[in-house]
Amino acid sequence: MTLRFTTAGESHGPGLVAIVEGMPAGLELDREALDLEMARRQLGHGRGGRMKIESDAVEVRSGVRHGRTLGSPIAVLVANRDYPNWEERMNPWPVNAQVEESHLPRPGHADLAGALKFGHSDVRNVLERASARETAARVAAGSIAKGFLSAVGVSVHSHVIQIASVGAPQRDDLTPEDFADLDSSPVRCLDAAASEAMVREIDRLRKENESLGGKFEVRAFGLVPGIGSHVSWSEKLDGRLAQAICSIQSVKGVSLGEAWEVAGRPGSEAHDEIFWSEERGWYRETNRAGGLEGGMTNGEPLVVQAAIKPISTLTQPLRSVDTETKQPTQAMRERTDSTVVPAAAVVGEAMVALVLAAAYREKFGGDHIDDVLAALSAYKERIGWRR
Ligand code: EPS
């Protein structure tokens, strides 16, 4: 048994859909927790006007009854409240109106390659799906994965570690409790001084018609060793996490543990020495590997970082070419966000949760959540895992 999910939906269409397949039956889902995840993705200094329109809520259409999963596919809907303003332009059916096409692709966006590939003269047919609005559906799916992970003792958290050139100090000692009040930070950064500097930088660059990128980190706690596998490339958890994170709109780089730092260090300072004690069982005193060795979890917290490029919709557009006339022009100018790094961090949590939940489903199987818990408990017993 694995866990699969897919999303559907355009940014200004009627709404978004996610289907999550492979959850065990009997898992209790918390409706408020689902809606809280959706709201967390909408936070963050630097969002644009659209977030004042949307107020995302998950509507469960199947797979759950009276708060518990049935073991059948779970379908969720997230409405686009902006749709009534776009009903002519985005109607699934023909309309009695002249709908203007967009021919001005943005550098850095899917616009040009997507229009060429799919044969669209209107680049809106590409940008509507490429839009990061789709991540609302991922967070809906991820919130279900988080519900499953919580039952197996795993929690997933994120924080922003850089916006534009403003970085936060690196912390190695984080625990789940450190993330408790993080959503009250306007940029979801754990360091108060860096947080203020990030807000100032967003305001400064926004006035200069610039967009901003940055970095976020996702950490997962409570993992047992041996999730993922060393035996086949497609089962290696490192690769699965990298794919999931890099599939998030605007993410251009991913690092697992201290990847970029250890590349420059001697081997003796690159790894995490192995210890065992009666009280703790297996443990490490460092976590340079970010909880991953040989494509598997090693029982230490998972640490994943992502680099995000600045949004490609600019209020002072870059040079482009009109796809119809082939004349030089400026890229399209649209309502947009200045930065999405705080929101992307929440999306990163969802993607990590979905990858981890899938790997747990593969390892422990089970049709009912109690089967999963029994298999997990037997495994912990066999390997002598004491955490
Ligand atoms: C997005 C552009 C903006 C963002 C949107 C992603 O939307 P609009 O074009 O309607 O102003 O607000 O993100 C969301 C709607 C969301 O829910 O995250 C883009 O082009 O990627």
Side-chain angles (χ1 to χ4, degrees):
M1 174 50 75
T2 188
L3 183 135
R4 297 188 300 175
F5 86 102
T6 192
T7 73
E10 277 74 40
S11 180
H12 304 97
L16 304 162
V17 178
I19 296 182
V20 180
E21 195 182 14
M23 275 292 161
L27 175 71
E28 200 175 327
L29 291 180
D30 179 353
R31 190 177 189 175
E32 279 171 22
L34 262 57
D35 284 334
L36 181 67
E37 291 295 325
M38 302 305 288
R40 293 177 66 232
R41 194 198 66 92
Q42 293 198 264
L43 296 172
H45 192 71
R47 300 304 302 268
R50 177 76 182 271
M51 286 304 100
K52 294 191 180 77
I53 300 171
E54 302 298 339
S55 164
D56 292 334
V58 178
E59 201 185 314
V60 177
R61 281 302 173 104
S62 73
V64 182
R65 187 161 180 235
H66 302 155
R68 282 191 190 270
T69 54
L70 300 174
S72 51
I74 302 172
V76 296
L77 303 183
V78 182
N80 286 330
R81 290 183 192 230
D82 205 12
Y83 178 62
N85 304 320
W86 291 76
E87 212 168 338
E88 270 187 357
R89 283 170 289 176
M90 290 303 296
N91 203 299
W93 303 110
V95 289
N96 276 330
Q98 194 65 35
V99 176
E100 201 183 322
E101 291 197 350
S102 183
H103 300 142
L104 311 177
R106 290 158 293 178
H109 213 279
D111 301 346
L112 180 58
L116 294 173
K117 174 180 165 72
F118 285 94
H120 293 307
S121 63
D122 185 355
V123 300
R124 178 156 300 284
N125 290 339
V126 174
L127 71 89
E128 283 288 335
R129 178 64 184 157
S131 162
R133 173 76 186 145
E134 184 258 350
T135 61
R138 299 198 199 198
V139 169
S143 66
I144 296 166
K146 276 187 165 187
F148 169 77
L149 289 175
S150 163
V152 295
V154 175
S155 66
V156 186
H157 309 268
S158 70
H159 61 129
V160 169
I161 54 174
Q162 187 178 322
I163 288 190
S165 59
V166 183
Q170 180 79 27
R171 297 223 358 225
D172 300 330
D173 57 340
L174 293 172
T175 64
E177 290 69 42
D178 288 309
F179 297 90
D181 296 325
L182 186 58
D183 292 332
S184 57
S185 156
V187 281
R188 305 196 67 256
C189 173
L190 286 167
D191 186 86
S195 217
E196 280 172 28
M198 287 172 183
V199 169
R200 279 199 302 275
E201 190 65 348
I202 294 168
D203 292 341
R204 186 181 76 78
L205 285 170
R206 180 158 49 189
K207 281 195 201 108
E208 292 183 12
N209 291 314
E210 288 289 4
S211 61
L212 302 81
K215 292 183 191 159
F216 66 78
E217 181 175 89
V218 178
R219 291 195 181 217
F221 300 89
L223 295 157
V224 291
I227 302 299
S229 179
H230 66 289
V231 303
S232 291
W233 70 268
S234 58
E235 290 176 55
K236 285 178 183 265
L237 201 62
D238 314 46
R240 294 172 68 173
L241 287 164
Q243 199 276 331
I245 292 291
C246 281
S247 76
I248 300 171
Q249 290 80 343
S250 297
V251 170
K252 289 283 119 187
V254 62
S255 78
L256 304 168
E258 297 177 15
W260 302 106
E261 290 83 1
V262 297
R265 285 189 210 144
S268 59
E269 293 166 29
H271 303 289
D272 306 304
E273 289 178 304
I274 299 173
F275 303 95
W276 189 91
S277 77
E278 193 62 52
E279 190 201 341
R280 295 170 69 183
W282 302 107
Y283 70 96
R284 314 295 174 100
E285 288 188 337
T286 54
N287 187 20
R288 293 158 173 153
L292 292 165
E293 287 173 313
M296 290 168 279
T297 53
N298 65 5
E300 299 304 314
L302 178 75
V303 184
V304 182
Q305 294 188 350
I308 302 183
K309 67 181 179 181
I311 289 165
S312 50
T313 309
L314 295 176
T315 38
Q316 189 71 56
L318 297 175
R319 286 180 292 179
S320 182
V321 171
D322 186 309
T323 51
E324 290 294 290
T325 65
K326 308 291 186 299
Q327 292 303 306
T329 181
Q330 284 193 325
M332 77 184 82
R333 219 182 132 150
E334 294 221 316
R335 175 183 66 189
T336 185
D337 306 304
S338 304
T339 188
V340 290
V341 185
V346 176
V347 181
E349 274 176 45
M351 292 308 288
V352 167
L354 284 155
V355 170
L356 292 176
Y360 263 74
R361 292 296 287 132
E362 285 155 32
K363 173 139 182 60
F364 299 109
D367 296 314
H368 190 278
I369 185 66
D370 290 348
D371 303 343
V372 183
L373 296 177
L376 173 62
S377 168
Y379 175 67
K380 281 177 158 178
E381 179 79 23
R382 175 170 76 72
I383 64 171
W385 191 244
R386 302 188 183 177
R387 287 186 234 168

